[in-house]
């Protein structure tokens, strides 16, 4: 979507963040945790990224995140009393284990896990798999999926470490492993007991074959480590989808 509607992404992400920072500054609120993304790295020619990997986004979504990071770095340089954490997410999936909070995208999902769960619950006929000719274990794209509850823990750890102290920290949040599209499909089938039909489609522009993170720095700076594996991600997603087969009710 960011490739077909770049102004939407630059407006919401970049312009929206600048407006927020201005309001924060006006009221002297100078502690900020930013949801960045692994897409700021682009395709450096290798697949395991750490915080020293060059920043060179290959799609507009990643470019918008990189632009915000630059704004934050320039802001901190000009006003070093800010307390800022830049958290580069890899691929958040899953749901709260209660089944009460989950992912309910508007329209056709742009992300893999909600698409799979909607197919499993019968809302969609089949999953679209974009590309099966990548140089991965089964030809489909591989990503470092992270449970949203691990991600939430990372935010709390970042908040604890910042503690209103003037500093700027940048860390990757991921598991350090990778799962292909078809491996995720199989894991979801196992945890849900449902068959996930899929069709192979052409690659999407701006997609990289595989990437994952080295999470060492997050552990060193934040004391944070991902604890939940891919089956737990699928189990919690399926529980939420079963409890909310049509998504959240309209109000």
């Amino acid at each position: 979507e960011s490739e077909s509607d770049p102004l939407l992404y630059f407006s919401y992400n970049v312009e929206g963040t600048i407006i927020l920072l201005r309001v924060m500054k006006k009221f002297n609120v100078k502690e900020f945790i930013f949801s960045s993304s692994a897409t700021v790295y682009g395709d450096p020619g290798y697949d395991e990224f750490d915080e020293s990997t060059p920043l060179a986004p290959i799609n507009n979504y990643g470019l918008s995140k990189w632009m915000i990071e630059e704004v934050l770095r320039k802001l901190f340089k000009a006003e070093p009393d800010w307390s800022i954490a830049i958290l580069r997410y890899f691929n958040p999936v899953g749901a709260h284990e209660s089944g009460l909070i989950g992912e309910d995208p508007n329209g056709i999902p742009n992300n893999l896990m909600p698409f799979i769960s909607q197919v499993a619950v019968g809302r969609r006929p089949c999953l679209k798999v974009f590309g099966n000719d990548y140089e991965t274990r089964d030809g489909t794209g591989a990503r470092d999926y992270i449970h949203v509850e691990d991600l939430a823990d990372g935010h709390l750890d970042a908040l604890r470490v910042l503690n209103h102290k003037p500093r700027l920290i940048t860390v990757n949040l991921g598991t350090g492993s990778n799962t292909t599209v078809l491996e995720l499909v199989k894991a979801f089938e196992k945890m849900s007991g449902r068959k996930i039909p899929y069709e192979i489609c052409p690659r999407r522009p701006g997609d990289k074959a595989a990437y994952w993170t080295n999470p060492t720095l997050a552990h060193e700076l934040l004391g944070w480590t991902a604890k939940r594996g891919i089956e737990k991600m699928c189990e919690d997603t399926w529980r939420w989808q079963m409890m909310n087969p049509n998504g959240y009710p309209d109000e």
Side-chain angles (χ1 to χ4, degrees):
E1 186 181 57
S2 71
E3 298 304 289
S4 61
D5 194 353
L7 289 181
L8 175 70
Y9 279 73
F10 295 138
S11 176
Y12 274 67
N13 289 351
V14 184
E15 185 179 15
T17 302
I18 290 172
I19 291 170
L20 174 60
L21 290 169
R22 282 175 172 165
V23 174
M24 291 176 66
K25 181 178 176 179
K26 178 180 178 180
F27 291 95
N28 198 36
V29 177
K30 293 191 171 184
E31 192 164 52
F32 191 77
I33 296 179
F34 175 54
S35 303
S36 191
S37 166
T39 55
V40 298
Y41 293 119
D43 189 355
Y46 50 87
D47 298 330
E48 183 178 89
F49 300 168
D50 63 22
E51 290 77 7
S52 67
T53 299
L55 305 182
I58 59 175
N59 57 48
N60 290 325
Y61 174 76
L63 181 58
S64 73
K65 293 292 188 178
W66 174 81
M67 291 168 72
I68 299 166
E69 285 196 12
E70 281 294 289
V71 168
L72 293 171
R73 284 187 280 269
K74 300 300 184 186
L75 174 62
F76 184 74
K77 182 177 180 181
E79 301 179 26
D81 59 335
W82 280 76
S83 183
I84 299 171
I86 296 173
L87 305 181
R88 292 174 179 157
Y89 305 171
F90 275 65
N91 290 74
V93 298
H96 192 272
E97 63 180 0
S98 67
L100 299 176
I101 306 173
E103 189 173 5
D104 184 23
N106 294 323
I108 300 174
N110 283 314
N111 296 323
L112 178 60
M113 185 70 94
F115 210 130
I116 291 175
S117 67
Q118 288 186 12
V119 171
V121 83
R123 286 177 63 182
R124 300 190 181 279
C126 71
L127 171 70
K128 295 182 182 295
V129 177
F130 297 101
N132 67 341
D133 56 351
Y134 290 110
E135 292 185 6
T136 60
R137 291 180 294 277
D138 55 27
T140 63
R143 298 290 183 266
D144 187 340
Y145 294 101
I146 174 176
H147 197 295
V148 291
E149 290 202 66
D150 279 328
L151 197 62
D153 290 341
H155 286 74
L156 294 174
D157 289 335
L159 195 62
R160 173 183 52 78
V161 168
L162 288 178
N163 195 28
H164 305 289
K165 298 174 184 175
R167 63 187 310 182
L168 170 64
I169 58 176
T170 303
V171 296
N172 293 343
L173 294 183
T175 64
S177 60
N178 68 92
T179 304
T180 69
V181 174
L182 294 185
E183 287 171 346
L184 186 59
V185 167
K186 291 176 183 177
F188 201 95
E189 288 179 336
K190 176 182 176 182
M191 303 313 294
S192 68
R194 299 287 181 91
K195 187 69 177 175
I196 310 295
Y198 63 86
E199 62 173 323
I200 303 299
C201 302
R203 296 183 183 187
R204 296 183 301 185
D207 273 351
K208 177 174 163 55
Y211 59 86
W212 58 91
T213 188
N214 180 336
T216 301
L217 189 63
H219 180 68
E220 292 176 352
L221 291 184
L222 306 182
W224 175 89
T225 303
K227 299 180 177 65
R228 300 160 178 89
I230 201 72
E231 290 190 354
K232 176 65 171 172
M233 300 176 206
C234 293
E235 177 188 359
D236 290 343
T237 300
W238 180 235
R239 182 183 301 109
W240 181 86
Q241 192 71 76
M242 283 291 289
M243 292 174 63
N244 304 272
N246 297 310
Y248 289 116
D250 295 330
E251 295 182 356

